[in-house]
Amino acid sequence: MNIKNIKIIKKSQLAFSIILLIIIMLVLYFINIKNNKPIIIGFAAQLTGKQAELGVQERNGVQMAIEEINESGGISGRKIKLLIGDDRGIPDIAQSVDAELIEKGAVAIIGHSTSSQTMAGLKVTNPAKVVMIGPTISTPELSDLQDFFFRVYPSFKDSAEAFTNYIYQNDGRKRLSIIYDIDNASYSKTYSKTVIDKFKSLGGNIIDCIEFSSASQPDFSILLSKLHEAKAEGLLIIASDMDTALIAQRTRLMGWNIPLYTSSWAPTENLINNGGQAVEGMKFEQAYGLTSQSETLLNFKAKYRARFGKEPSYGAALAYDSAMVLSYALKKTGGNSKGLSDALLETRNYTGLMGNFSFNEFGDVMRPFYLSSISNGKFITLDLLTSSN
């Protein structure tokens, strides 16, 4: 082999080595980009309008959790990017928001803040096999289903029945009227039916049950006048914080001093701030320890006040738990959506703000529920609520 051929071979080898080195560097570069790419989590709830407070509280809780996760190194070295959507309290918009979040790469969605929007959104997320975690969704219509929906708040079936038992047995109300917001029918209508069935089984009499649409801005004075004439011994309001406060105000302005009850949907600071003296003594049930002395919950409340300048509601705490347990499961999947549902189902005794919780085979949880009230402008816990008390 002559010298000229040797030089050609050496040049070819050098060129090949350079090309190979460039390829290796490019592969490593793109692997590094992929490893550093943020993990996208979506959040969807009503963030505007008069019923937005619960959604805003939930968004704040999720933001706090993700900030803490990112500050501690993220998931497998990757940061979490939160994408936020406003469903405006409208089912069709909830579906559009969820579809957009999935299109933008969300591996999971935390939301919605109300049952009707959640059930609408699941028609998008379930077919896409994308996990949705509901912080405050309690309708029994979503219990015992094999799907991609999880929740950190239990079904209200047991708590609503126990609450009804308390109203009848402990408070001695034998004649009850009900008013509820049909716009969130998956929650309110089902809650109403649960109470009616239980109250009647105890021997009580449902004097009247009236529905209204919050979106249509009804004149509550007219509706309440009808209920007033029926001479009930207690009034159960199943509505948002703002509507519950307004209904309570109207009952007192018309001189109707009937004992008031409400569901777990209403208790936010908006209820007290807008209801004022009219909501004093109002009782409700909730799977949230309002006066819990859990150190983790107290620390969360202090951080929330420092971050947002106001008290956190149950929605903020439960949304925080939702984001934290989701990140726990994502660490098992390396930040990927594949296998996320199984990772959540395998989660046992996860330590949340108010104690441990586990998902059952359907993605549901069990938590204790409490009887609470409003006294001197503050929420207070009266007792642990069970079927016997």
Side-chain angles (χ1 to χ4, degrees):
M1 183 178 295
N2 59 39
I3 294 174
K4 184 177 180 181
N5 289 338
I6 292 174
K7 288 181 177 180
I8 292 172
I9 291 172
K10 286 183 176 182
K11 286 182 178 180
S12 298
Q13 289 175 337
L14 179 61
F16 177 77
S17 297
I18 291 172
I19 292 171
L20 182 61
L21 180 61
I22 292 172
I23 292 172
I24 292 172
M25 290 176 67
L26 287 172
V27 170
L28 291 174
Y29 173 75
F30 285 113
I31 289 175
N32 185 59
I33 288 178
K34 183 178 180 181
N35 289 338
N36 290 326
K37 188 177 180 181
I39 298 167
I40 299 174
I41 291 177
F43 173 80
Q46 182 174 357
L47 300 173
T48 54
K50 73 174 183 177
Q51 295 183 355
E53 176 64 13
L54 182 57
V56 170
Q57 288 269 347
E58 291 184 15
R59 180 202 62 196
N60 293 348
V62 171
Q63 285 180 329
M64 278 184 61
I66 289 178
E67 286 168 4
E68 290 179 18
I69 295 164
N70 285 339
E71 287 171 3
S72 63
I75 297 174
S76 301
R78 297 167 63 189
K79 300 291 186 181
I80 296 176
K81 180 179 180 181
L82 180 64
L83 297 182
I84 299 172
D86 179 8
D87 67 31
R88 291 161 50 191
I90 301 173
D92 289 345
I93 295 178
Q95 291 183 338
S96 299
V97 167
D98 289 344
E100 184 177 350
L101 290 172
I102 293 172
E103 186 178 349
K104 290 182 177 179
V107 297
I109 295 174
I110 300 172
H112 296 246
S113 56
T114 48
S115 296
S116 289
Q117 279 57 260
T118 299
M119 294 189 72
L122 287 172
K123 294 178 182 178
V124 174
T125 57
N126 274 334
K129 297 182 178 180
V130 172
V131 164
M132 179 186 287
I133 298 186
T136 54
I137 303 307
S138 58
T139 176
E141 293 180 32
L142 291 173
S143 298
D144 303 332
L145 299 177
Q146 294 280 7
D147 57 9
F148 289 85
F149 177 67
F150 293 77
R151 54 182 165 188
V152 300
Y153 195 95
S155 160
F156 63 62
K157 185 179 186 303
D158 291 339
S159 60
E161 289 185 347
F163 188 39
T164 305
N165 190 71
Y166 177 89
I167 294 171
Y168 182 87
Q169 300 284 7
N170 292 59
D171 281 359
R173 315 300 176 201
K174 311 303 181 185
R175 296 162 58 83
L176 185 69
S177 287
I178 300 173
I179 182 169
Y180 69 92
D181 181 4
I182 194 64
D183 291 346
N184 188 18
S186 297
Y187 175 87
S188 58
K189 190 172 184 177
T190 308
Y191 196 103
S192 174
K193 185 179 185 306
T194 301
V195 170
I196 290 171
D197 291 346
K198 180 65 177 178
F199 200 72
K200 288 181 176 180
S201 74
L202 294 169
N205 185 12
I206 299 296
I207 302 303
D208 207 344
C209 182
I210 293 179
E211 64 182 47
F212 68 92
S213 168
S214 179
S216 65
Q217 300 181 330
D219 184 344
F220 288 122
S221 297
I222 296 174
L223 299 177
L224 292 170
S225 293
K226 179 183 177 183
L227 291 175
H228 190 197
E229 292 171 0
K231 301 187 184 305
E233 297 171 350
L235 175 63
L236 172 63
I237 307 166
I238 309 171
S240 69
D241 48 8
M242 294 296 289
D243 283 323
T244 300
L246 187 57
I247 291 169
Q249 288 277 12
R250 289 289 184 271
T251 62
R252 300 317 186 216
L253 286 172
M254 62 192 293
W256 191 19
N257 294 316
I258 188 170
L260 298 177
Y261 303 90
T262 191
S263 70
S264 57
W265 181 11
T268 72
E269 288 300 313
N270 271 356
L271 175 61
I272 293 176
N273 294 338
N274 292 277
Q277 193 63 32
V279 298
E280 280 288 310
M282 178 181 282
K283 294 178 181 177
F284 58 92
E285 58 83 13
Q286 201 172 51
Y288 177 68
L290 287 160
T291 55
S292 169
Q293 295 303 300
S294 161
E295 185 176 350
T296 53
L297 181 59
L298 293 176
N299 288 338
F300 167 79
K301 288 182 175 180
K303 291 179 180 177
Y304 188 98
R305 287 192 295 267
R307 174 78 164 78
F308 299 105
K310 60 180 179 179
E311 287 291 327
S313 73
Y314 69 101
L318 292 164
Y320 178 93
D321 272 357
S322 298
M324 295 301 281
V325 74
L326 176 59
S327 70
Y328 176 82
L330 281 169
K331 289 177 181 178
K332 295 182 179 180
T333 69
N336 299 312
S337 60
K338 186 176 180 180
L340 181 57
S341 179
D342 291 336
L344 284 167
L345 290 172
E346 293 167 1
T347 301
R348 292 290 181 271
N349 295 316
Y350 181 81
T351 303
L353 293 176
M354 295 168 288
N356 295 350
F357 64 88
S358 305
F359 294 111
N360 67 10
E361 67 270 31
F362 303 110
D364 298 323
V365 298
M366 292 294 291
R367 288 183 186 263
F369 35 91
Y370 303 88
L371 175 70
S372 300
S373 184
I374 299 172
S375 177
N376 296 319
K378 293 182 179 180
F379 292 120
I380 60 170
T381 299
L382 299 176
D383 202 354
L384 184 67
L385 191 60
T386 67
S387 58
S388 62
N389 69 355

